[in-house]
């Protein structure tokens, strides 16, 4: 069963601000990757996007931040009901590949992302203080002077999360944020994300295959396969026929 | 004025050529090395970080073609046409590299082959001798004039200013381009500007360094430096020290051996790379 479609005026759940995705579509070459995607994402809510491989989950996030051209519209409505076409996104990509031999420290990279004063010359005291504070918030104080190339998957994620949270975004987009991280690291990371959502009243859009953790922390679950099949509470989505159909192939393999 | 000061300053050195009133070519060359080495060390940090050594090599080839065309047209200073030509070349490769799924390596290889063979064809057409272009292959730092030194100084200043303004976004792009774009960095412009800086530098210095070794000087300082560096400041500092040391030592050694300066410098840099390789830090 579906909940009635909710508009941004709906105040019964979550915060007051809201992001509207209207009729989103992405076509790459001759292939339609996404079509007719309509979403309302409320502040303070963690929305998980699930779907089979090739469903267009990562594509949707990339289209939202403008990495991929798309059709349709994006509206952001803040708590004072000011409209904007371009909410501020924080984004952690699925695949953050880089040259691990490169002599770039975590401090270098974070300063380079945020400030203009050239890191090859000097890192100012005040910049370093602010980076230290950001790392502290994600429990990664000890990584400050480490070379990017020696970070583990989980450590890299924390650094990217710290970057995504400053300036505090309107919407935080996390694409498979725990691939390549062990089980305890995964749970810790989800716990951290869940805490941050409450602390900053963030909208979080999370693409993940980790269905167990999603059931624990997500407020809503979107079942995506080229378009939105379901948009409901975790319990409702996971018990639905559509969910079983979408993942049927996977079930047969694992059973 | 400045040159007078330089000649006087250098006369305190205990070398026979450093005495007043003689060997101006050597004194000019030393000043040239002092300007070129930091320039190349700065650019090399990004050539290596962005894995663009093949690209910078191709830039040398396109500069060569530009010079060949300039000579054909009877230009006194063919190097200006060469600058335009290699900037164009850099833009086309950057743009095509963004638009197609072809491997960038293959693309650069194709463009570079076309450029260099076009240059050779044009300059030998009708049975002309190639010797006029030899100086661009081997390079001769001793041929540098005080006017050349002025333009070198201006390029160095220009690159330093751009490096001051654009280094941070360039660093983010070099780590992960998609991530940079997602944070609002206009990566294509950053890439263009960096490519243009490389193109200008390579083209203007090619007649002193030589096509055959110029790319080594754009790769080796940073390649050696990254072995022993953990952050951007160490990376730049070591690349600078290695570049300036091999530059000055290479010039002096080549003077007494009577060998090509460019090749001598590169051999020293290569040696320093091997040494730093055994002292790698993680």
């Amino acid at each position: 069963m579906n909940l009635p479609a909710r508009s941004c005026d709906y105040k019964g759940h979550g915060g007051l601000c809201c992001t509207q995705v209207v009729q989103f579509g992405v076509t790459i070459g001759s292939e339609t990757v996404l079509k007719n995607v309509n979403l309302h994402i409320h502040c303070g809510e963690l929305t998980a996007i699930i779907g089979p491989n090739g469903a267009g989950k990562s594509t949707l996030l990339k289209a939202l931040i403008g990495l991929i051209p798309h059709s349709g519209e994006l509206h952001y409505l803040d708590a004072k009901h000011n409209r904007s076409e371009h909410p501020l996104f924080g984004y952690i990509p699925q695949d953050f590949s880089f040259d691990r031999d490169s002599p770039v420290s975590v401090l270098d990279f974070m300063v380079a992302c945020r400030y203009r004063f050239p890191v090859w010359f000097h890192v100012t005291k005040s910049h370093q203080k602010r980076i230290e504070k950001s790392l502290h918030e994600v429990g990664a104080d000890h990584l400050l002077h480490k070379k990017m190339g020696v970070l583990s998957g989980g450590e890299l994620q924390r650094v990217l999360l710290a970057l995504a949270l400053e300036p505090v975004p309107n919407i935080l987009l996390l694409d498979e944020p725990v691939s390549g991280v062990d089980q305890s690291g995964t749970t810790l990371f989800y716990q951290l994300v869940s805490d941050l959502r409450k602390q900053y009243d963030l909208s979080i859009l999370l693409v993940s295959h980790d269905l167990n953790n999603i059931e624990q922390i997500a407020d809503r679950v979107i079942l995506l396969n080229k378009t939105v099949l379901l948009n409901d509470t975790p319990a409702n989505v996971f018990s639905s026929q559509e969910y079983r159909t979408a993942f049927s192939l996977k079930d047969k393999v694992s059973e | 004025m400045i040159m007078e000061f330089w000649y006087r300053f250098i006369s305190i050195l205990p070398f026979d050529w450093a005495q007043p009133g003689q060997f101006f070519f050597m004194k000019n060359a030393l000043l040239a090395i002092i300007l070129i080495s930091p320039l190349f060390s700065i650019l090399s940090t990004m050539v290596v970080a962005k894995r663009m050594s093949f690209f910078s090599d191709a830039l040398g080839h396109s500069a060569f073609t530009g010079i060949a065309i300039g000579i054909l047209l009877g230009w006194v200073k063919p190097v200006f046409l060469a600058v335009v030509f290699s900037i164009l070349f850099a833009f086309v490769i950057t743009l095509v590299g963004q638009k197609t799924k072809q491997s960038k390596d293959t693309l650069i290889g194709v463009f570079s082959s076309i450029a260099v063979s076009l240059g050779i064809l044009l300059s030998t057409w009708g049975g002309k001798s190639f010797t006029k272009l030899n100086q661009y292959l081997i390079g001769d730092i001793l041929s540098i004039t005080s006017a050349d030194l002025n333009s070198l100084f201006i390029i160095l200043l220009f690159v330093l200013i751009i490096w001051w303004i654009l280094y941070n976004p360039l660093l983010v792009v070099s780590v992960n381009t998609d991530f940079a774009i997602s944070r609002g960095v206009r990566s294509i412009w950053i890439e263009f500007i960096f490519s243009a800086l490389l193109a200008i530098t390579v083209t203007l210095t090619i007649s002193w360094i030589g096509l055959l070794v110029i790319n080594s000087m754009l790769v080796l300082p940073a390649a050696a430096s990254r072995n022993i560096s953990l952050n951007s400041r160490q990376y730049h500092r070591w690349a600078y020290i290695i570049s300036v040391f091999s530059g000055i030592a290479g010039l002096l050694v080549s003077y007494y051996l009577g060998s090509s300066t460019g090749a001598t410098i590169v051999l020293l840099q290569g040696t320093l790379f091997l040494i730093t390789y055994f002292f790698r830090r993680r």
Side-chain angles (χ1 to χ4, degrees):
Chain A
M1 65 166 215
N2 272 342
L3 286 179
R6 302 179 310 157
S7 78
C8 277
D9 302 324
Y10 179 87
K11 305 223 180 68
H13 193 286
L16 292 167
C17 57
C18 166
T19 306
Q20 283 179 300
V21 176
V22 184
Q23 286 295 105
F24 246 52
V26 172
T27 307
I28 298 173
S30 58
E31 190 192 351
T32 305
V33 183
L34 286 173
K35 61 178 182 197
N36 303 336
V37 174
N38 294 292
L39 293 173
H40 294 281
I41 305 152
H42 289 255
C43 288
E45 276 191 6
L46 195 155
T47 307
I49 304 178
I50 60 168
N53 287 328
K57 306 184 292 288
S58 298
T59 306
L60 176 60
L61 296 197
K62 285 182 184 168
L64 283 172
I65 56 173
L67 275 180
I68 300 178
H70 62 83
S71 60
E73 284 163 36
L74 179 67
H75 299 292
Y76 175 75
L77 206 64
D78 71 13
K80 296 181 186 106
H81 287 262
N82 296 316
R83 266 178 188 279
S84 141
E85 301 283 306
H86 303 284
L88 189 59
F89 287 110
Y91 174 60
I92 302 187
Q94 176 178 21
D95 172 34
F96 187 86
S97 56
F98 62 101
D99 180 355
R100 290 192 169 260
D101 286 330
S102 234
V104 182
S105 69
V106 169
L107 177 65
D108 289 343
F109 185 64
M110 291 184 72
V111 171
C113 278
R114 285 188 198 164
Y115 310 111
R116 256 357 217 321
F117 194 80
V119 294
W120 63 267
F121 186 75
H122 182 61
V123 173
T124 67
K125 282 259 150 49
S126 74
H127 286 170
Q128 180 165 340
K129 279 251 162 59
R130 277 140 89 180
I131 301 294
E132 279 169 0
K133 188 166 160 278
S134 289
L135 284 174
H136 179 72
E137 275 178 43
V138 297
D141 313 61
H142 59 296
L143 301 179
L144 186 70
H145 291 297
K146 281 216 171 151
K147 195 166 113 173
M148 291 278 285
V150 303
L151 299 186
S152 71
E155 288 172 335
L156 183 62
Q157 253 157 29
R158 278 164 192 261
V159 169
L160 294 179
L161 183 64
L163 272 172
L165 288 173
E166 168 76 43
V168 178
N170 300 130
I171 307 171
L172 183 59
L173 306 176
L174 307 173
D175 196 352
E176 303 259 20
V178 287
S179 46
V181 179
D182 61 30
Q183 191 56 45
S184 67
T186 305
T187 310
L188 275 172
F189 187 80
Y190 279 123
Q191 196 55 54
L192 179 63
V193 168
S194 182
D195 292 347
L196 289 169
R197 152 189 52 163
K198 286 163 198 151
Q199 189 182 335
Y200 292 106
D201 197 28
L202 281 176
S203 303
I204 299 179
L205 211 51
L206 167 78
V207 168
S208 178
H209 280 133
D210 191 333
L211 304 178
N212 288 332
N213 270 308
I214 285 178
E215 200 157 10
Q216 300 288 318
I217 64 163
D219 299 301
R220 299 189 70 79
V221 173
I222 290 167
L223 178 62
L224 191 81
N225 196 0
K226 312 276 184 208
T227 188
V228 178
L229 298 178
L230 282 178
N231 178 355
D232 211 330
T233 61
N236 285 345
V237 170
F238 289 127
S239 62
S240 71
Q241 185 59 45
E242 288 90 336
Y243 167 73
R244 278 192 295 274
T245 313
F247 284 89
S248 61
L249 199 71
K250 210 178 166 189
D251 286 346
K252 271 175 203 154
V253 172
S254 58
E255 274 162 21
Chain B
M1 240 291 278
I2 294 170
M3 292 312 293
E4 286 306 313
F5 177 77
W6 169 248
Y7 295 143
R8 193 166 315 157
F9 172 74
I10 205 160
S11 67
I12 60 167
L13 291 177
F15 299 112
D16 49 356
W17 51 264
Q19 300 317 308
Q22 53 179 346
F23 292 107
F24 291 113
F25 64 90
M26 186 61 181
K27 293 165 185 170
N28 288 350
L30 183 60
L31 187 55
I33 289 292
I34 291 172
L35 295 174
I36 286 178
S37 306
L39 178 64
F40 274 52
S41 72
I42 290 171
L43 293 173
S44 76
T45 58
M46 265 303 147
V47 169
V48 170
K50 287 173 65 57
R51 302 178 179 217
M52 286 170 78
S53 63
F54 194 37
F55 174 78
S56 56
D57 191 41
L59 277 180
H61 290 96
S62 76
F64 174 75
T65 313
I67 288 166
I69 296 174
I71 289 176
L72 197 74
L73 295 176
W75 288 33
V76 187
K77 284 258 176 196
V79 81
F80 291 115
L81 189 69
V83 170
V84 176
F85 195 84
S86 55
I87 289 180
L88 213 67
F89 181 87
F91 279 12
V92 168
I93 288 197
T94 312
L95 201 65
V96 176
Q98 299 252 349
K99 295 285 172 206
T100 75
K101 282 184 182 147
Q102 275 268 10
S103 137
K104 217 166 177 173
D105 239 29
T106 315
L107 217 71
I108 294 169
V110 170
F111 276 91
S112 157
S113 319
I114 293 174
V116 79
S117 35
L118 182 70
I120 294 172
L121 183 139
L122 289 176
S123 51
T124 53
W125 194 320
K128 279 195 301 267
S129 154
F130 191 77
T131 39
K132 218 189 239 176
L133 285 160
N134 269 347
Q135 62 157 314
Y136 296 104
L137 291 186
I138 308 291
D140 182 10
I141 192 106
L142 299 178
S143 71
I144 208 160
T145 65
S146 34
D148 292 335
L149 287 169
N150 279 336
S151 49
L152 253 185
F153 181 72
I154 292 168
I155 303 169
L156 176 61
L157 209 62
F158 183 64
V159 168
L160 274 175
I161 292 170
I162 301 275
W163 220 243
W164 191 271
I165 300 171
L166 282 189
Y167 183 76
N168 283 6
L170 187 57
L171 178 67
V172 182
V173 170
S174 80
V175 170
N176 189 305
T177 310
D178 270 359
F179 185 76
I181 296 172
S182 82
R183 291 192 64 94
V185 175
R186 280 188 275 192
S187 77
I188 183 124
W189 285 106
I190 303 277
E191 303 240 7
F192 270 156
I193 293 169
F194 178 62
S195 307
L197 281 189
L198 265 185
I200 293 169
T201 306
V202 167
T203 313
L204 290 179
T205 54
I206 201 164
S207 69
W208 309 317
I209 313 287
L211 173 61
L212 295 176
V213 291
I214 196 165
N215 198 47
S216 319
M217 289 182 60
L218 272 174
V219 173
L220 284 170
S225 170
R226 80 180 343 212
N227 281 337
I228 49 174
S229 304
L230 299 176
N231 63 45
S232 294
R233 286 157 304 292
Q234 293 172 1
Y235 189 33
H236 277 72
R237 192 187 313 140
W238 282 111
Y240 174 80
I241 291 170
I242 289 163
S243 189
V244 171
F245 171 79
S246 339
I248 294 176
L251 177 69
L252 295 179
V253 170
S254 71
Y255 176 79
Y256 291 107
L257 290 182
S259 55
S260 153
T261 309
T264 313
I265 293 173
V266 169
L267 271 177
L268 280 173
Q269 290 177 341
T271 311
L272 287 175
F273 174 82
L274 290 177
I275 294 170
T276 55
Y277 185 81
F278 291 107
F279 291 95
R280 262 175 306 170
R281 296 171 68 189
R282 277 190 64 74

